[in-house]
Amino acid sequence: VMLLRQQVAVAFMANLAEGVATCQIFPFAARMVATMRGTPEAVAFFTGLVYSGNGIGVLISTPMWTRLSVKYGCRSCLIASLTLTSTSIFLCSVASSFPVLLGLVLLRGLSNGNGLLLRTGMRRSFLRRGVDDTQGFAWVSAASGTSSLAGPAIGGILYGSTDFGHPWTLPYICSG
């Protein structure tokens, strides 16, 4: 039972971090996009591309992560996914052109199998032990809700709060 609690705690923290990383750009995304593009023209459309790039990447790559987890196991795929996702988030912090940012956001989504892999691993562990997983999955879902509230606040507070890099550098570094 202790192992299951640890696994739920890891899934909770990973889900919380991922949600914050996704939502932290809400307060400043339009300004970031306009700055990178050099014009506020069509900023809503291009900001929408940035918002949806991660989700599109996840949608495209989910079958790949599923096949890889069957072949190599959830743990090794999760380590690869977490590493690639964190790296792409960090690279967003130094992006200064819109096409680069958009490519990195899409790369983040393509490399992000974290939710799928964490939930699959949790489900398998609970099934192996014959234990009800309702509370474990409720905690992981609570992390998603919490991060959608905390992410924009964190991003808004950190945006422009340092003198190094771009105004969006610190929020991306902290969420990566």
Side-chain angles (χ1 to χ4, degrees):
V1 173
M2 182 56 104
L3 178 65
L4 293 176
R5 286 188 182 141
Q6 290 171 345
Q7 196 167 11
V8 169
V10 167
F12 178 90
M13 293 306 295
N15 221 20
L16 185 68
E18 189 170 320
V20 167
T22 299
C23 296
Q24 56 96 19
I25 67 167
F26 291 171
F28 60 84
R31 182 174 295 170
M32 178 179 65
V33 168
T35 301
M36 287 183 175
R37 294 189 62 244
T39 179
E41 188 174 314
V43 72
F45 172 76
F46 290 105
T47 302
L49 290 177
V50 171
Y51 284 153
S52 59
N54 179 59
I56 291 168
V58 169
L59 185 64
I60 292 168
S61 68
T62 295
M64 175 198 71
W65 285 112
T66 303
R67 287 189 301 275
L68 289 173
S69 71
V70 168
K71 186 172 184 176
Y72 298 107
C74 279
R75 182 176 292 152
S76 57
C77 289
L78 183 59
I79 291 168
S81 177
L82 287 168
T83 302
L84 292 168
T85 303
S86 294
T87 301
S88 63
I89 292 170
F90 173 75
L91 290 173
C92 286
S93 74
V94 296
S96 56
S97 77
F98 180 75
V100 169
L101 176 69
L102 193 56
L104 288 169
V105 170
L106 183 61
L107 176 66
R108 175 181 169 213
L110 291 170
S111 64
N112 189 347
N114 303 334
L116 163 80
L117 296 166
L118 285 166
R119 285 176 174 79
T120 300
M122 270 181 51
R123 181 70 177 138
R124 287 178 182 165
S125 293
F126 277 93
L127 284 173
R128 261 194 310 268
R129 290 165 180 79
V131 178
D132 182 34
D133 59 5
T134 304
Q135 285 190 351
F137 280 97
W139 276 105
V140 173
S141 296
S144 295
T146 303
S147 66
S148 67
L149 294 174
I154 292 168
I157 290 167
L158 295 177
Y159 180 81
S161 61
T162 64
D163 292 333
F164 69 93
H166 306 291
W168 54 85
T169 297
L170 187 60
Y172 268 113
I173 287 174
C174 290
S175 68

